[in-house]
Amino acid sequence: MTNIFAYEAEMQEWLSNALKDVDGLGDLISNIETISEAVASNSSDERLLESFRVCIKSLHITHVMSENENISVNDQDILKPDFLLYAPETESVVIVELKNLEQTTRQAGTEISAYACEVRSSVPFIADGDMVSVIVSPFWPTLLKHHVRQEILWQGRNVICLRPVSVDNDVRLEILDPSELRDDALELRVPPEYLGGYQICLYDDELYSQSPDKTRLDKYMEQFKTALNAMASTGARLNSHGFAFLWRDRWELSLAPYSITTINFAPFQSVERFLHVEGGSLPRLFEQLRAVIREYCPMGHGEALSNISRSADPFLQAVCSPRYEGFMHWGGHRSILTSRADLVAFVAWGRFQQLYYDRLSREYEAGNITVSSADPEIGLEIVDQVIDNTYEFVDLTCAGMDDEDDEDKS
């Protein structure tokens, strides 16, 4: 890629002057129409395209609020975004970060995140959806691409990637093809071990009485569904990714007529994916992460999942005794649901929610207008589509232990 500007200051000066002659930053983008016509090949590409399109809406008319000026509310801190723009059409704040050296581009994502946090210090109620991040660079190394992808796919933020190009002897900006941000190793097809959770058993203490009624909790069905919605709301607020099933237990001996299977991504389980990349180098933190995994066996039952589950307590504890049981990965829970569960309702958050709503939209478009907004059968189909049961998962809690033992003996 040819570097049009010798220095970053030269790029800053060009953009400063160029913005004075146009209505908005979008007027400087040469291929803006191609994004509106682009067709995604999978759900991840669709989300990347959506991010770019959302950003474009805020670039047609822009007002420069600051240019390389300190925006920190604390005089002792220095936070100077290259440009801070206001988009009156969408009432959004646009943060523009310029990078002109390949060695420093990896910092762009981190800097934009810091600027976004500082904008919230001045505009505390601004939502992520009302903030747009623009990164302009001739170089797009892997680390920066991964950061942008993480921000868009997993944090739900709006980022657009631009590079300066020469068009008819003039400098313009060009939107990166979303396929350049693709990372097939991180597509949303994962082994069941990447998802961890537990079963919230809704015990009915009155089943210990002389006249037990296994149907007593049936009348609280709407209350249980509200508990599910509270969990989904908390999961979304935490930028987490997971789902929950409410189900009736067919096992006659069970003292918990209903259960809620609650599942979230187990982030440390995905570290093993680096071992599947042929000829790929392991990240610097890999050995440290593997040591943590071997020592502590993190299975995804962390504070995020606990917060999600606790949000259901106000709706459950008044009518039953919820208890957490069955701490394991999704594969084990899937077997339980298959063998003894009558599925009642489903909710999701994060990427699973997006996939679920996409499916519901298609169902309604096809004329299936009676499909429930919490349809558990469709929910199970969505989860099954994400799971890759052919993936050979490497358990890092024991991977390579035999070799180490042999070395110790020698």
Side-chain angles (χ1 to χ4, degrees):
M1 176 59 61
T2 303
N3 195 346
I4 295 176
F5 300 101
Y7 305 99
E8 191 170 302
E10 187 179 340
M11 186 193 297
Q12 173 102 25
E13 182 180 4
W14 166 78
L15 186 54
S16 178
N17 292 329
L19 286 174
K20 296 174 183 176
D21 297 329
V22 295
D23 293 327
L25 181 60
D27 291 338
L28 302 175
I29 300 176
S30 61
N31 63 338
I32 202 167
E33 295 82 6
T34 61
I35 296 301
S36 61
E37 301 169 356
V39 178
S41 59
N42 54 53
S43 61
S44 295
D45 282 359
E46 180 59 40
R47 173 64 190 115
L48 294 172
L49 279 172
E50 179 190 3
S51 171
F52 285 10
R53 289 165 179 161
V54 168
C55 291
I56 288 171
K57 290 180 182 179
S58 295
L59 302 183
H60 295 301
I61 300 177
T62 54
H63 165 78
V64 178
M65 292 192 290
S66 73
E67 179 181 340
N68 198 29
E69 299 173 11
N70 188 16
I71 64 170
S72 176
V73 296
N74 187 340
D75 292 338
Q76 296 180 348
D77 295 333
I78 304 297
L79 289 168
K80 301 167 67 175
D82 291 315
F83 291 89
L84 195 65
L85 312 178
Y86 177 69
E89 290 183 305
T90 59
E91 298 188 6
S92 300
V93 172
V94 181
I95 302 170
V96 181
E97 183 64 15
L98 310 176
K99 289 297 176 185
N100 198 50
L101 294 176
E102 188 169 10
Q103 293 81 359
T104 62
T105 49
R106 64 187 63 187
Q107 303 169 1
T110 304
E111 290 174 349
I112 277 194
S113 297
Y115 299 146
C117 290
E118 197 59 32
V119 168
R120 288 189 180 89
S121 297
S122 298
V123 191
F125 303 114
I126 192 168
D128 280 344
D130 290 328
M131 299 185 73
V132 168
S133 298
V134 179
I135 301 178
V136 182
S137 173
F139 305 105
W140 287 89
T142 300
L143 190 60
L144 179 56
K145 290 180 181 179
H146 281 182
H147 179 89
V148 171
R149 184 181 178 84
Q150 171 81 10
E151 289 289 289
I152 295 175
L153 291 184
W154 301 105
Q155 301 302 322
R157 298 193 175 111
N158 297 317
V159 185
I160 189 168
C161 307
L162 307 175
R163 61 162 57 102
V165 293
S166 179
V167 178
D168 297 330
N169 296 321
D170 197 5
V171 178
R172 283 291 181 264
L173 299 174
E174 178 183 79
I175 303 173
L176 263 68
D177 189 320
S179 64
E180 292 194 42
L181 298 176
R182 184 181 298 146
D183 183 351
D184 293 334
L186 281 174
E187 288 303 322
L188 198 58
R189 286 275 296 168
V190 298
E193 290 85 358
Y194 279 22
L195 299 169
Y198 40 66
Q199 183 178 329
I200 306 177
C201 301
L202 307 184
Y203 285 97
D204 184 1
D205 295 336
E206 292 191 17
L207 290 180
Y208 293 100
S209 67
Q210 294 181 346
S211 56
D213 178 9
K214 290 208 73 169
T215 66
R216 187 187 74 85
L217 294 182
D218 292 0
K219 60 187 175 184
Y220 299 109
M221 193 59 56
E222 290 306 313
Q223 197 161 329
F224 293 159
K225 291 179 181 179
T226 300
L228 287 186
N229 289 331
M231 294 168 66
S233 177
T234 301
R237 176 174 57 82
L238 296 176
N239 277 333
S240 190
H241 307 273
F243 52 89
F245 287 93
L246 171 66
W247 51 279
R248 182 183 291 106
D249 198 339
R250 293 197 302 263
W251 186 34
E252 293 183 0
L253 299 180
S254 176
L255 296 175
Y258 291 93
S259 285
I260 299 174
T261 296
T262 310
I263 304 294
N264 219 34
F265 259 107
F268 286 92
Q269 293 292 83
S270 66
V271 173
E272 63 83 46
R273 74 184 188 278
F274 292 105
L275 298 177
H276 296 269
V277 181
E278 277 190 40
S281 59
L282 296 174
R284 293 180 180 178
L285 268 182
F286 181 80
E287 291 302 329
Q288 291 84 345
L289 289 169
R290 179 158 62 176
V292 166
I293 293 169
R294 286 178 177 173
E295 180 72 19
Y296 301 104
C297 301
M299 297 291 291
H301 309 128
E303 190 60 19
L305 188 60
S306 295
N307 284 338
I308 292 169
S309 300
R310 284 197 297 266
S311 64
D313 286 348
F315 307 98
L316 301 176
Q317 292 176 343
V319 298
C320 63
S321 297
R323 298 176 194 168
Y324 299 172
E325 300 178 2
F327 291 75
M328 54 187 170
H329 63 70
W330 167 243
H333 289 289
R334 179 69 170 80
S335 297
I336 292 175
L337 294 180
T338 302
S339 63
R340 56 189 261 199
D342 290 329
L343 300 180
V344 177
F346 172 83
V347 295
W349 47 94
R351 288 280 284 148
F352 288 98
Q353 184 183 69
Q354 181 183 357
L355 293 173
Y356 180 64
Y357 283 156
D358 287 347
R359 171 63 183 277
L360 287 183
S361 176
R362 293 195 297 271
E363 291 289 334
Y364 296 140
E365 288 176 359
N368 301 325
I369 59 175
T370 60
V371 173
S372 167
S373 61
D375 190 301
E377 298 296 339
I378 291 180
L380 190 58
E381 290 179 18
I382 290 298
V383 176
D384 285 345
Q385 290 172 13
V386 170
I387 298 302
D388 183 358
N389 288 309
T390 66
Y391 184 97
E392 296 183 6
F393 176 78
V394 179
D395 186 354
L396 292 183
T397 60
C398 58
M401 292 297 287
D402 294 339
D403 294 339
E404 290 187 2
D405 290 340
D406 293 340
E407 291 177 6
D408 292 340
K409 291 176 183 179
S410 62

